[in-house]
Amino acid sequence: MKKYNWLNDSYKRIINFFKKNKAHHALLIQSFKGNGELYFLYSIAMWLICKKKNNTKYCNKCKDCKLMKVGYHPDFYQLGLKSNIIGIDDIRSLKKLIYNYSYKEGYKVIFIPHTEILTEYAENSLLKILEEPPKNTFFLMGCQQPLNLLPSFRSRCFKFYLSIPNEKYGILWLKKEIKFSLQEIKTSLRLNNGCILNAKKLLISEEWNKRKFLCESIYKSINNKDFLSILPIFTKKNNENVTWWFISLLIDSLKWKKNIKKFLVNVDQIELINKLSNYYDIKILFNHIKEWIKYYKINIIVNGVNKELLIMYCLSLLE
């Protein structure tokens, strides 16, 4: 786990279960997105498939490891990597394959990184396999929203929470990878629940420039007392994150007023946070946050909602 070494301790714990023959046949890893969960699960799969493993390491050189690298190992089955849904037909096809003997006389590994995309019928069908699994077969599964899975499904798995590294570690890792200020790195980590890979992805993408533009525009709109002028920023295509960024700024402004600055998220926008907190009193600021969170939820849950009309309403309240 040299690449993402904050996962080392968790990886060794899981591998030691396998070494002692105490591992459950169905491993369900719960993690926030961008915490290295895919790499973590795949590394476990590599170790299980490898025939020349050394302690907790897979060799990366044997035929099995080479087949895994090119994605053609006959005893490695993966579902849901290239689609947004895993249906009943996918599970039926899997059943036909896994109850046969292993092609390479080793373990068979079923890799499902996103169990949330299982349809109800697919989940029930997979549940029956988990209840009576084939011999020498392991299920390696990932999950970001465990409550979306059936309780009976979760009860058939060994659940393991992949913890997020502390912020100091995240900052040190990101400083080695990319050249950004301490405030920017800290902000990106906090906007992404401490998940290092998502924090890096945000900083090096065009999304970071979008956020900067949003902050600059909000600052100008406060001076001009014209919040409707920033409407186009929210209604542009592929701007799903803008609303969440704005809510986080409003919440930071409330924290600033209550003098709990230690827990600010947008630490690279202190001047803007201060300006917002001076512009509204606590009660009004709190009401704005409630309205924006309500809009954020409606936008996610309700199909065909008039996004522009709702944003206009929220912005007009700010005025």
Side-chain angles (χ1 to χ4, degrees), residues 18 44 51 64 79 106 123 164 192-193 196 205 228 277 282 291 294 311:
F18 285 107
I44 295 169
K51 296 290 194 310
D64 292 276
L79 299 177
E123 191 175 348
I164 292 165
N192 289 286
N193 298 311
I196 295 175
S205 70
L228 284 171
S277 69
I282 287 178
E291 287 298 327
K294 192 193 297 181
I311 283 287

Side-chain angles (χ1 to χ4, degrees), residues 243-260:
T243 305
W244 165 238
W245 295 333
F246 186 64
I247 292 169
S248 72
L249 286 163
L250 290 175
I251 294 171
D252 277 348
S253 303
L254 192 61
K255 292 173 188 173
W256 189 273
K257 270 193 174 294
K258 299 293 286 182
N259 202 29
I260 45 177

Side-chain angles (χ1 to χ4, degrees), residues 182-216:
L182 174 62
Q183 287 77 15
E184 287 176 312
I185 287 172
K186 196 178 285 189
T187 297
S188 188
L189 276 169
R190 292 181 181 184
L191 283 170
N192 289 286
N193 298 311
C195 294
I196 295 175
L197 299 185
N198 270 10
K200 180 184 175 182
K201 185 180 177 181
L202 174 59
L203 285 166
I204 62 175
S205 70
E206 185 56 34
E207 291 294 290
W208 191 248
N209 292 327
K210 282 183 187 177
R211 180 182 165 275
K212 280 185 176 180
F213 181 68
L214 171 70
C215 294
E216 290 166 4

Side-chain angles (χ1 to χ4, degrees), residues 56-70:
T56 60
K57 297 177 182 179
Y58 48 89
C59 73
N60 241 341
K61 295 176 182 179
C62 67
K63 285 184 180 179
D64 292 276
C65 284
K66 287 176 181 177
L67 284 170
M68 284 289 285
K69 279 186 173 182
V70 295

Side-chain angles (χ1 to χ4, degrees), residues 1 7-17 40 56:
M1 304 297 287
L7 301 172
N8 263 332
D9 289 342
S10 296
Y11 172 78
K12 286 175 182 175
R13 277 185 66 190
I14 295 295
I15 296 301
N16 281 329
F17 284 133
F40 181 80
T56 60

Side-chain angles (χ1 to χ4, degrees), residues 15 46 51 75 100 106 120 124 129 147 202 208 228 280:
I15 296 301
M46 286 286 289
K51 296 290 194 310
D75 293 325
N100 297 323
E120 186 180 348
N124 279 309
I129 302 175
L147 293 179
L202 174 59
W208 191 248
L228 284 171
Y280 302 107

